[in-house]
Amino acid sequence: MRIARPLTVLPLLWLFASPGFAVERVPAQERLVFPLAWEATSHARPFRPVSESALGRSIALPSNWQMQTDRRTGTAHFAYGSGIRLANRISTEAQAENLAISFALSQSEALGLRADNFETRAVVHARGKWVVHFQQRETGLPVWHASAFVALGDDGFVIATGSSFFPAQESGIARASISGEDALANSASDLGTAIRTDRPTETALWLVPVPGDSEWMLAPAWRTQFEAEEPFGVWESLVHANTGEILARENLICPIEVVGNVDGMTQDFSYCDGTSDRPMRNVRVNVSGGSNDLTDENGDFVIANAGSTPVTVTAALNGQNFNVNRFSGLGADASFSGSATPGTPLQITWTTANARQDEIDTYFHAERAHQFMIDIDTAFDTVNLPHPMIATVGRTDNICPGNAWYSIAGRNINFCAASGSWANTGELGNVIYHEYGHGVSAEVYAIHGANLPTGDMHEGNSDVIANFIDRTSVVGIGFTNCSAGIRNADNDLQWPSDNDGGHYGGQIIAGFYWDSWQAMLAALPQSEADQAAWDGWHFARWLGQPLNQQDQVTWTFLADDDDSNLDNGTPHHEFFRLGADNHNFSWPAITVGVFINHQKLGHTTNGSLGFDVVADIQGVGVTLDPTSPTVFYRVNDGSWQSLAMAATGTPNEFSAHIPAQSNFAELDYYVYAADTNANATTNPDNAPSVFHSFDVVFDYDGGESGPGLWTAGVAGDTATKGQWELADPVATLAQPGDQTTPGGTMAWITGQCGPPNCTGSCVMPQENGCNDVDNGVTSLLSPVYDVSGSTAAKVKFDYWLSNDTGLSPGHDPIKVDVSNDGGSTWTSVLNTTVSTNAWVPYEFDLLAYFATPNLVRLRFQASDSGIDSVVEAAIDEFRILANLGGPTDTPELPTALPRALSLSQNRPNPFDASTSVEFALPKPGHVSLTVHDVAGRTVAVLQDGVQDAGVHRAQWDGRDTTGRQVAAGIYFTRLTVNGETRTKKMTLLP
């Protein structure tokens, strides 16, 4: 069988090199590194039930299993489900391997395995799971990146299986016609370089997929490896063993792009944070003529010694895990020598008097990275990383300055000296973590006999370890200044469209883990959130050795599983799902359990009728306990109260009624249900740590009905760009791409990002300043609210501020002022330069500013006065709580005319007697305001005639055009002005 290939194959270009990687390339050579064309093709289809798969072959898996097919090979790439037991218990590696082989052969059609075309590559055991990996071999040769696996639980159940085996080739496989020596020579010639004769070379014969006339074919290829000085690197190539063509090439030295200007020295986390004393662990301390000891986590050492005579003690930055060396020509490495009296503590301090600053920093941070991995997985210390690993600082050769690299071949880390505008990379903590991360990746794959992943995987996972350790999303802080870096895991990049195969594309997988981790930290204790995120990342690679980012995301869910069944989710499924959704990754769907579907209640101005909490609750693969559905709620942070939910008569629908509340009520609630085995589910997930909230308010504006009486821009504003406007936000790295009104789309933002204010998609980093605030201040005024007579009143809103992505980070504020006299005088309530880069709630008590609240108005101001600053602000979900009877008419004060036609939600809604409908006209026109039933018939005419520009209100008492009371139910108000129409839904109660 052969596989049809697409008409055009566009391999992704990926580079390890930074802008400082100055290499003279031969004119005919367009690329230094590039993947195999086969690997550049999209292959993973979305998960779907086996019964709905289009695999086109016999599948012995249960029909309700979920399966992701490989569109290139036609195999089941990743399939999971429950109910297949192979043994009562798995306790040995041999047992796991034998069971996996038997199961894989029973699925030969789906997986592409035959008795003669595979061998066991690795058996991995961790977290109650056994994963047996198989390598495909054809005609005695291994097939490049062709592997299969079976994942089993300790309890003997099959958890998942999958394969990327290449189909059997009907036309046979050609034999190699050129030698490994010739292939090595071709590799060097194509690169325009000379092979270093003092370094080892390698050649090995593989089978790789290559394009045929119209289909993919397996062909023999030599994998060659050699080291060269120019261009610097350890170069691995795949060379066609018949034509000599270079099919793929990779540099096994992993540098990082680092540029910037530094003028200080640091220890933790970088020179930007200043120096501080920190214990140095695992430093070897020696007693002359005696024994030695390694310092512990507190820096303490204890060395056995006879007698009380003073002895000579020596030490170097050379311990169990790392040996830090100075580059050639920089003199002797850091050392200490002193006299100690047994029994009297000796203080050894590494300073710039006995060490270079980059030696101290590199040792400290490399040890921290090593310990981080040991804390996740003690088995990692047995991985074949060199002990100690050589770390060389102050390098000025090869790709220096402004760089750092890990050598996969030499298995060492290297840091460049400062020069001109480039930092000393040995003084930047997260650069050190990143480079050590390359070593972690290389060894995790090598120890299991797997091929190394592509450049984006290498770089992204190295960013992940740096993000985790120093708990910041930015990698490379200090390269240009102390407020900026070169990559950011807090991003909106999408898989696979934004993947360039290198550093930039690596931010996608880093973003997946960052977003998942941040969601966990917001909902769980820090220790649990940390362990779940770190374990998910590490064991996804340890168990699965994934070769692309989508596979790594899928394996993260498997690593998180705790019951040998992905059907019912995993302990942290919702958090990893959020990270996956944010970056367009597929994820294993939950197909078994109790599911609660509920539309969150929104803020309202009428609490007199109480609130119906309605949810669709059903068991899938389990039996719902019909007595379990419950609403838990609390008012104004009081104690939680429970309400049993009753079936409504609609299939799977349950409802409970929260009692009536005053106009100054803040409510929290969540929905609970369980199956008959007491397995519980809540909405939202992780309640009551996380819960839904809404307010019963005096007045509310989510921006969804148009600007109304809000005023964007006032006399004295000076901003030339990024003025306030009500819009559906388009995301940049500085501006949100969403808003916070449930079911809504609009928010007040400082300048919409769209043509002609930007180019392309408006989400790339170069579009960061797309229509941001420039050259002054822009103001937004709320309507005036009459809260006179209230004895309790507060203001709430959500806001966004980003001012840390330009060249003047942290310079420009968002200011919020409140007036008690309709806008004549102002009092400051918020003035901050702290970027949120997320929607955050804010509230303040009006009585803390005014003893007798009166005519209240808010003013929001964003400004730009920094050089090359990027400032974006946004406001949404504005509400006023006051212990008054209800909303009142806005005082007749001078206001700007509405900017657009709008129809507001009726208030109250739902209603039982009468309701008010408000609409806004930007200019005079003929107004038709009508009420319709669900069949579209006209029930009532509220307005029909010419109206002036401005805000207008109409009342409906629930009667039709003949004066008869209409039945309870759903109705619609429809506003038509000059051919434009707006519609809102409302509910009339019995």
Side-chain angles (χ1 to χ4, degrees):
M1 176 181 176
R2 295 182 295 177
I3 300 176
R5 58 182 284 243
L7 294 178
T8 303
V9 177
L10 298 176
L12 299 174
L13 176 65
W14 58 273
L15 297 173
F16 280 124
S18 74
F21 192 171
V23 176
E24 282 286 335
R25 288 187 280 176
V26 294
Q29 184 182 316
E30 298 178 354
R31 298 173 297 176
L32 275 177
V33 293
F34 51 94
L36 196 65
W38 170 261
E39 294 169 347
T41 60
S42 176
H43 70 280
R45 296 181 185 273
F47 283 101
R48 62 180 61 185
V50 166
S51 60
E52 300 176 12
S53 72
L55 202 56
R57 58 178 70 187
S58 173
I59 304 174
L61 295 169
S63 61
N64 64 341
W65 270 45
Q66 298 287 308
M67 184 169 69
Q68 185 185 54
T69 60
D70 191 321
R71 66 180 77 234
R72 302 174 309 178
T73 64
T75 55
H77 183 70
F78 196 105
Y80 69 92
S82 60
I84 302 178
R85 180 185 284 278
L86 301 184
N88 290 328
R89 187 74 182 168
I90 302 175
S91 55
T92 69
E93 181 176 311
Q95 184 188 11
E97 181 181 7
N98 290 334
L99 289 170
I101 291 173
S102 177
F103 179 79
L105 289 174
S106 74
Q107 304 295 328
S108 59
E109 282 291 310
L111 302 179
L113 271 72
R114 308 185 310 272
D116 63 345
N117 77 336
F118 72 95
E119 64 183 8
T120 302
R121 175 170 58 77
V123 180
V124 187
H125 186 233
R127 295 174 65 83
K129 305 172 186 73
W130 296 89
V131 182
V132 182
H133 293 272
F134 304 112
Q135 170 68 52
Q136 184 178 8
R137 298 185 75 89
E138 300 288 349
T139 64
L141 295 177
V143 180
W144 189 257
H145 284 188
S147 62
F149 76 91
V150 176
L152 308 166
D154 282 347
D155 54 9
F157 277 94
V158 179
I159 305 172
T161 189
S163 170
S164 59
F165 270 33
F166 199 90
Q169 195 157 302
E170 298 170 358
S171 59
I173 300 172
R175 301 180 65 84
S177 60
I178 68 173
S179 67
E181 290 76 10
D182 289 340
L184 196 64
N186 280 5
S187 301
S189 175
D190 186 77
L191 196 57
T193 190
I195 299 173
R196 286 190 58 167
T197 58
D198 60 338
R199 296 287 193 270
T201 60
E202 293 183 18
T203 57
L205 196 57
W206 288 75
L207 293 177
V208 300
V210 298
D213 293 335
S214 61
E215 300 170 321
W216 293 98
M217 306 287 293
L218 286 179
W222 288 100
R223 182 188 65 81
T224 66
Q225 183 178 309
F226 65 86
E227 186 170 342
E229 284 292 335
E230 188 67 26
F232 172 65
V234 174
W235 297 98
E236 179 182 81
S237 302
L238 289 176
V239 184
H240 198 298
N242 297 122
T243 67
E245 177 188 358
I246 308 301
L247 303 174
R249 181 163 51 229
E250 184 169 350
N251 188 350
L252 298 187
I253 285 182
C254 308
I256 187 173
E257 301 152 5
V258 287
V259 293
N261 187 0
V262 297
D263 59 1
M265 297 182 179
T266 183
Q267 181 150 350
D268 193 16
F269 284 98
S270 77
Y271 71 89
C272 300
D273 302 297
T275 58
S276 58
D277 291 331
R278 298 287 184 184
M280 305 285 279
R281 70 185 302 159
N282 287 321
V283 175
R284 191 172 300 282
V285 181
N286 302 279
V287 170
S288 180
S291 187
N292 62 78
D293 188 30
L294 292 170
T295 56
D296 63 15
E297 66 273 12
N298 298 315
D300 298 331
F301 63 92
V302 178
I303 303 174
N305 185 73
S308 58
T309 304
V311 296
T312 300
V313 175
T314 61
L317 289 174
N318 180 0
Q320 175 176 267
N321 301 311
F322 297 95
N323 179 6
V324 179
N325 295 334
R326 296 180 186 180
F327 186 56
S328 175
L330 296 180
D333 296 341
S335 64
F336 170 88
S337 180
S339 178
T341 300
T344 301
L346 171 67
Q347 182 63 48
I348 300 175
T349 303
W350 295 105
T351 69
T352 52
N354 55 15
R356 285 168 53 101
Q357 187 65 55
D358 53 5
E359 290 179 292
I360 302 170
D361 294 343
T362 295
Y363 190 92
F364 174 77
H365 289 294
E367 272 291 341
R368 175 181 277 171
H370 176 81
Q371 190 60 43
F372 175 78
M373 293 305 307
I374 303 307
D375 290 342
I376 296 175
D377 181 9
T378 55
F380 180 78
D381 202 32
T382 65
V383 172
N384 195 27
L385 278 168
H387 289 76
M389 177 187 287
I390 301 299
T392 303
V393 301
R395 297 194 72 143
T396 55
D397 61 337
N398 297 323
I399 54 177
C400 291
N403 232 317
W405 69 91
Y406 174 81
S407 171
I408 293 178
R411 295 153 74 206
N412 53 63
I413 50 178
N414 303 269
F415 303 95
C416 297
S419 178
S421 59
W422 285 284
N424 183 328
T425 53
E427 295 179 13
L428 301 176
N430 62 11
V431 172
I432 299 166
Y433 307 147
H434 177 101
E435 295 308 330
Y436 184 73
H438 282 301
V440 172
S441 295
E443 299 303 326
V444 163
Y445 284 74
I447 196 67
H448 296 122
N451 297 121
L452 292 177
T454 52
D456 57 294
M457 291 277 281
H458 245 302
E459 300 303 336
N461 282 293
S462 287
D463 281 359
V464 170
I465 189 173
N467 299 149
F468 281 154
I469 294 175
D470 64 10
R471 311 186 79 88
T472 180
S473 65
V474 179
V475 172
I477 294 175
F479 291 169
T480 55
N481 59 58
C482 288
S483 299
I486 59 172
R487 286 189 302 283
N488 195 338
D490 187 4
N491 63 68
D492 296 320
L493 299 179
Q494 301 293 292
W495 173 264
S497 58
D498 289 323
N499 183 30
D500 68 343
H503 290 90
Y504 183 79
Q507 293 176 111
I508 308 174
I509 192 70
F512 161 72
Y513 287 109
W514 179 262
D515 291 353
S516 302
W517 185 35
Q518 296 310 298
M520 293 178 196
L521 288 169
L524 306 173
Q526 180 177 314
S527 58
E528 180 183 346
D530 288 349
Q531 203 64 49
W534 301 346
D535 284 355
W537 167 70
H538 171 65
F539 287 104
R541 301 196 303 159
W542 188 259
L543 289 164
Q545 301 105 58
L547 294 174
N548 62 70
Q549 296 189 40
Q550 173 61 72
D551 283 356
Q552 183 167 335
V553 169
T554 303
W555 277 99
T556 301
F557 285 87
L558 190 144
D560 189 51
D561 181 60
D562 63 349
D563 64 356
S564 303
N565 183 7
L566 289 178
D567 279 349
N568 61 3
T570 70
H572 305 94
H573 191 280
E574 66 273 17
F575 304 113
F576 288 124
R577 184 179 69 222
L578 179 146
D581 285 343
N582 285 354
H583 299 277
N584 198 41
F585 290 112
S586 299
W587 41 268
I590 300 175
T591 59
V592 173
V594 174
F595 295 86
I596 303 175
N597 184 21
H598 166 67
Q599 178 63 50
K600 173 186 177 296
L601 297 177
H603 306 301
T604 180
T605 57
N606 186 358
S608 63
L609 301 177
F611 310 94
D612 288 329
V613 180
V614 181
D616 182 282
I617 306 174
Q618 54 185 302
V620 178
V622 298
T623 302
L624 175 69
D625 177 356
T627 67
S628 69
T630 305
V631 171
F632 291 88
Y633 79 99
R634 65 183 180 185
V635 181
N636 298 332
D637 290 326
S639 59
W640 287 103
Q641 304 177 61
S642 63
L643 297 169
M645 301 184 77
T648 66
T650 299
N652 304 316
E653 186 176 85
F654 294 81
S655 177
H657 186 75
I658 297 177
Q661 302 294 326
S662 72
N663 275 12
F664 199 89
E666 299 165 289
L667 289 94
D668 307 319
Y669 75 96
Y670 64 93
V671 182
Y672 167 95
D675 64 20
T676 53
N677 291 321
N679 296 310
T681 299
T682 61
N683 184 301
D685 296 324
N686 295 309
S689 298
V690 180
F691 42 79
H692 298 304
S693 297
F694 69 95
D695 298 331
V696 184
V697 300
F698 171 73
D699 211 306
Y700 164 66
D701 197 325
E704 300 305 317
S705 300
L709 295 177
W710 287 71
T711 303
V714 300
D717 280 1
T718 55
T720 57
K721 279 180 57 182
Q723 295 96 342
W724 287 101
E725 62 177 299
L726 187 64
D728 182 357
V730 172
T732 69
L733 290 182
Q735 188 177 83
D738 60 359
Q739 46 79 63
T740 59
T741 303
T745 60
M746 310 292 280
W748 286 101
I749 60 174
T750 51
Q752 179 68 296
C753 178
N757 298 313
C758 73
T759 60
S761 64
C762 300
V763 297
M764 303 294 282
Q766 60 264 31
E767 302 292 345
N768 200 30
C770 170
N771 205 18
D772 73 313
V773 182
D774 282 337
N775 305 315
V777 64
T778 179
S779 303
L780 173 67
L781 296 180
S782 78
V784 177
Y785 303 93
D786 185 354
V787 294
S788 56
S790 60
T791 57
K794 65 170 60 174
V795 174
K796 290 183 168 185
F797 53 86
D798 296 344
Y799 82 95
W800 173 294
L801 175 64
S802 177
N803 67 2
D804 61 354
T805 60
L807 297 184
S808 296
H811 186 275
D812 297 297
I814 184 173
K815 298 179 180 180
V816 182
D817 303 318
V818 63
S819 172
N820 200 38
D821 53 17
S824 297
T825 59
W826 298 96
T827 299
S828 175
V829 295
L830 175 65
N831 185 344
T832 180
T833 59
V834 177
S835 282
T836 65
N837 288 311
W839 285 104
V840 296
Y842 189 82
E843 63 178 80
F844 62 92
D845 188 343
L846 277 168
L847 273 72
Y849 296 90
F850 311 114
T852 56
N854 191 21
L855 301 180
V856 173
R857 196 173 205 183
L858 274 290
R859 179 174 67 187
F860 302 89
Q861 292 183 319
S863 60
D864 162 44
S865 59
I867 299 174
D868 291 326
S869 62
V870 175
V871 181
E872 295 282 12
I875 298 293
D876 203 8
E877 287 295 85
F878 181 88
R879 53 211 187 271
I880 289 184
L881 285 74
N883 59 345
L884 298 172
T888 61
D889 290 340
T890 302
E892 295 297 330
L893 294 174
T895 58
L897 289 175
R899 296 172 57 188
L901 178 69
S902 66
L903 173 65
S904 299
Q905 184 65 55
N906 64 301
R907 297 187 301 185
N909 186 47
F911 67 101
D912 61 351
S914 179
T915 189
S916 175
V917 180
E918 181 180 287
F919 58 94
L921 306 180
K923 58 184 178 181
H926 186 280
V927 173
S928 172
L929 182 64
T930 52
V931 178
H932 301 261
D933 62 17
V934 292
R937 296 183 293 261
T938 301
V939 174
V941 177
L942 307 184
Q943 294 279 342
D944 187 13
V946 176
Q947 296 279 4
D948 293 332
V951 177
H952 304 269
R953 290 186 180 87
Q955 295 291 126
W956 186 44
D957 58 4
R959 298 181 182 275
D960 64 14
T961 54
T962 68
R964 290 178 301 183
Q965 181 69 44
V966 301
I970 302 296
Y971 292 87
F972 298 89
T973 50
R974 180 177 298 162
L975 173 69
T976 303
V977 181
N978 299 331
E980 289 189 66
T981 301
R982 303 287 187 271
T983 303
K984 291 287 184 182
K985 182 173 72 173
M986 57 183 173
T987 302
L988 175 61
L989 298 172

